[in-house]
Every structure is written in C-alpha cells, then in structure tokens.
Amino acid sequence: QEIHKAKEWIREKVRQNPKIATPYLNKKYQTGDILKIGQRTYTLLINYKSAKNISGKLQGDHIYLTLVPNVEMKSVKQLLSRIVAKDYHPWIKNKVEYFNKQHFNQKIKGIKLKYNQSNWGSCSSTGNINLSTRLLFAPEEVIDYVIVHELAHLIEMNHSIRFYLLIKSVIPDYKLYEKWLKEYGHSCDF
C-alpha cells in the first residue's frame, strides 16, 4: 500500500515537471557519439569485450571505452566522468586558485573534480574543495559561481548572511546562477 502511494506520488511529480526525471533516464552511448562538454568536444569509440571490468582512456579528442555487454549506464557515466575530470582538472584548479588569490586568500588543501549527483560542490573544514563533473556542462559563469560559493565556505562554514555577502562581493548577480542551476541543472549530466 505505502509503496503504491509512493510510486503514484513520483508519477505525479514527473507529470508536473518532466525534467526532474532526466538524471535518472538511461542514456545509451554508441561509437561515434559526440560528447560536448564546455569548450571541448569528445568523440566516443566503444569496444565491447567479455571482461570483468570496464575501462577507458582519452587520446586527443577521442575517448576510447572498453565495455562489457549489458553494462549499467551508471558505471559508464562514472567512467566518462573520471576521464573528463582528468582532462579538465588543470583548468578547474587554475580557476579555483585564481578566485582564491583574488578574493579569499585562504589555504586550500586539495581540489577534486568527481562525479556527484547530490550537489554541485562542497568544501570541508580542512580546506578540501570538491566540484562535481556535472558542473562542466554548465556555462562558465555558473561554474565560477559554484567555485566562489565553495571558496566562501573557507571563511564562513555556513549559509549565513555574511556568507552570501562574501559571494556577492565577488559575483554581484550570483542569484542568476543559482536560478540557472535550479532551472537547467537537470540537463547537466553524462
């Protein structure tokens, strides 16, 4: 009875707002597919083998994937994310360091770029900045906003008025980028 009610509630929510289901739909990747992420375009080349693990590598603008038959798309998304994260990490690191030097001047322990569906970024009390690779699908101004948001946590580990004043001092129209993430963030995924 409770499960039936929950399923009906989910169906109704998706009917009201179909885009909320986007991250949960299984994308199917094929050889020759083009993956456009930010300013970069990757061509997928997929090979299926009977193996225990899936693997992939980037060569130039080609992503070579070795997959197993009936592989879960979640695993493929995570693999693509790791490959793209490695390619984009220097760019993201430079952005984080630039905004930190210009506006915050705080000690950063580490900067990681990884697949995360539950948030766009996080900042630990020890100074680790984590950003979701899904963010790479967003406009650069949105990426900058999330970076500044996480850097502001190095000073204010909360979402207080002081925290938002820090963000506003760097990105006066930050609310536009918060709104963009709410409206279009569902489409940012592998």
Side-chain angles (χ1 to χ4, degrees), residues 112-136:
K112 290 186 181 167
L113 190 55
K114 58 188 182 180
Y115 188 72
N116 190 345
Q117 282 189 310
S118 61
N119 61 33
W120 297 107
S122 65
C123 175
S124 73
S125 59
T126 57
N128 287 309
I129 304 284
N130 297 304
L131 299 166
S132 175
T133 51
R134 293 174 47 243
L135 193 57
L136 298 172

Side-chain angles (χ1 to χ4, degrees), residues 88-98 111:
Y88 262 95
H89 190 268
W91 182 75
I92 286 290
K93 186 175 186 262
N94 285 339
K95 281 185 150 306
V96 171
E97 289 171 348
Y98 168 81
I111 301 164

